[in-house]
Every structure is written in structure tokens, then in C-alpha cells.
Amino acid sequence: MKVATAHGPAEVVLDVVDDPALLLVLTHGSNGGVEAADLLAVRAEALRLGGAVARVTQPFRLAGRRAPGPAAKQDEAWLEVVAVLRKRFGDVPLVQGGRSNGARVACRTAAAAGAAGVVALAFPLHPPGRPEKTRVDELRSAGVEVVVVNGDRDPFGVPDPADAAQVAVLPKERHDLGKDPAAVGRAVEPWLRRWAARPVRTGRE
């Protein structure tokens, strides 16, 4: 389905289930798409736990651009998409996430979206070779629990265990987390299971 935003249309691929335990909303990195193997692995775990899953192609990618553009515009468009999805699915717990740039968007917008938690895959802690340009504050200021899955050979760096609720570091994986995508799903599953088992929220608690 297409969702109109202030910065162009976004596209959403939905996996709908009856009486979902949670809603998981995922997005891609700067140069990728929603068919990335690690995203699909997390999607599979959420579906197995009875969750509904929405995979969002952001406006800049739908328009054929690789550069995501200003963070404020990405975040605004993301929140518009999430608002449409929340209206459709009601007060089930919302978990949002993505890989690389998408993980950054999910962290920055978590509080405003009313998310219960964030899945951050291949979080790009800093540009390659530039550790001084850290983005750690995006993790620390998410305002909700964040689970991070990174490879130990990621040139974008690896967050410290103190920077998120959970940091899983997969051996021999680089930024694409493509060596063993199933391991990504296994790392996230226990955390998703906790949210799937939580009672429905009924207000702005």
C-alpha cells in the first residue's frame, strides 16, 4: 500500500495476522530495500510470535534516491507512516526498527511514535574510519528499550553494551549482516517475545 507523506509517498508491505500480539514496523538502509535478508529474518520471528509486520520503503528510496536527505524530513515522513499504521492496528504494542540508516530513523522517532521498543540492525555508530563522528546519542536518547544487532567486523563500528538495552555482536559479520541472517532473527526473538506477551496499552502511559 502507498502512504502519502509531506515528503512524497512511502510504500508499505504488510503481513497481517488476526488479533496481532504486536506491530513491528521495519525499514531499510540508505542503499537497500525491504527485502534485505536481516530484515526478513526479523520479520519471520515476529510473524512466528503472532505479530503483524509492516516493511516501509521510505519516500527517498521510492523516488530512486540513494542519499536519504535531511534527518528531519526522514523522521517527519516516518512518523506520518507510523501514524497511519497505528490507526489501522489499534493499541497493540508498537516495535519499530530497521537496518543502518533505518535504525537511526527508528531510534530518533521512537518516543514521538509511541513505540515500546526499537530493533536496530547494523546500527552505523560512525562513518567508516571516523570514530570521532559518533552517533551514539541517537541510541542513548531513544527513550525506549533498544536491541542492537551488529557484526564484529562492521566498518561503521559496534555500539557498546552500555549504549542499549541489549547489544548482540555476531562473529564474522560485516555491515550487511548477510553471512547468517537467521542468527539475526535468533538474537532478536527473545526480546520480541517479551513484547508479544505484554498486555495491550490503552493510553499514553
Side-chain angles (χ1 to χ4, degrees), residues 89-184:
F89 287 93
D91 272 333
V92 299
L94 166 69
V95 177
Q96 62 179 30
R99 62 164 288 103
S100 194
N101 179 71
R104 297 180 64 195
V105 173
C107 287
R108 291 195 304 259
T109 61
V118 172
V119 177
L121 307 178
F123 186 87
L125 189 63
H126 56 72
R130 302 292 300 277
E132 73 280 4
K133 299 285 188 179
T134 182
R135 299 157 178 154
V136 70
D137 285 347
E138 293 181 352
L139 281 175
R140 293 175 177 172
S141 63
V144 299
E145 288 190 16
V146 181
V147 58
V148 175
V149 183
N150 272 56
D152 66 351
R153 300 182 182 182
D154 193 331
F156 289 83
V158 180
D160 188 270
D163 294 332
Q166 174 184 326
V167 178
V169 182
L170 303 183
K172 300 181 180 179
E173 289 280 10
R174 295 182 61 82
H175 193 62
D176 63 357
L177 294 174
K179 194 175 185 67
D180 185 5
V184 179

Side-chain angles (χ1 to χ4, degrees), residues 40-135:
L40 293 179
V42 174
R43 163 186 171 264
E45 294 297 338
L47 291 174
R48 193 170 62 80
L49 292 170
V53 181
R55 288 175 290 142
V56 179
T57 301
Q58 297 177 59
F60 77 92
R61 287 297 290 153
L62 204 59
R65 298 191 299 272
R66 291 189 174 186
K73 290 185 177 181
Q74 290 182 76
D75 294 354
E76 183 179 7
W78 178 260
L79 289 170
E80 290 181 81
V81 173
V82 170
V84 170
L85 292 169
R86 295 209 75 173
K87 185 175 181 180
R88 173 166 180 164
F89 287 93
D91 272 333
V92 299
L94 166 69
V95 177
Q96 62 179 30
R99 62 164 288 103
S100 194
N101 179 71
R104 297 180 64 195
V105 173
C107 287
R108 291 195 304 259
T109 61
V118 172
V119 177
L121 307 178
F123 186 87
L125 189 63
H126 56 72
R130 302 292 300 277
E132 73 280 4
K133 299 285 188 179
T134 182
R135 299 157 178 154

